[in-house]
Amino acid sequence: MDKEVKLVVLIEVQAGKAEQQVRLFNRLKPLVLAEDGCFEYELHRVSDNENQLVLTERWASEAAWHAHHETPHMKEASKVTPSFRAGPTKVLRLDVV
């Protein structure tokens, strides 16, 4: 049985551009949740920093997570994110202890 993949993705946007990230997420969310093996895909604002957001993801397997990155909607999203992000995201994989 495949091991579930849990992720926390730290996102920093350029000053004043958080709403661009939120709009993109709102377009992507139904598409991603419809992907095979996606259990969670949720964006959160950091309370004391308007330029930081956190994405939580939960996938049924490594294969489902990797397939997610190959979808047309994620490939298209990766083309536009440099226009509002302050740099690359930091992806933290979580293991239950």
Side-chain angles (χ1 to χ4, degrees), residues 27-39:
R27 285 196 312 269
L28 290 172
K29 183 177 181 177
L31 300 172
V32 174
L33 288 172
E35 292 176 37
D36 188 39
C38 182
F39 298 142

Side-chain angles (χ1 to χ4, degrees), residues 30-38 59 64-65 67-69 71 73-74:
L31 300 172
V32 174
L33 288 172
E35 292 176 37
D36 188 39
C38 182
W59 296 89
W65 179 48
H68 161 68
H69 296 289
T71 60
H73 51 269
M74 291 310 296

Side-chain angles (χ1 to χ4, degrees), residues 24-91:
L24 175 63
F25 172 79
N26 287 336
R27 285 196 312 269
L28 290 172
K29 183 177 181 177
L31 300 172
V32 174
L33 288 172
E35 292 176 37
D36 188 39
C38 182
F39 298 142
E40 177 184 346
Y41 194 74
E42 198 67 49
L43 188 65
H44 311 267
R45 292 181 190 272
V46 174
S47 296
D48 62 352
N49 187 330
E50 65 184 26
N51 298 321
Q52 289 182 330
L53 298 112
V54 176
L55 177 65
T56 55
E57 301 182 40
R58 195 163 61 92
W59 296 89
S61 65
E62 189 86 20
W65 179 48
H66 287 294
H68 161 68
H69 296 289
E70 299 305 317
T71 60
H73 51 269
M74 291 310 296
K75 286 184 175 186
E76 188 61 33
S78 69
K79 293 177 186 175
V80 299
T81 56
S83 68
F84 53 80
R85 287 196 181 155
T89 60
K90 181 171 185 172
V91 178

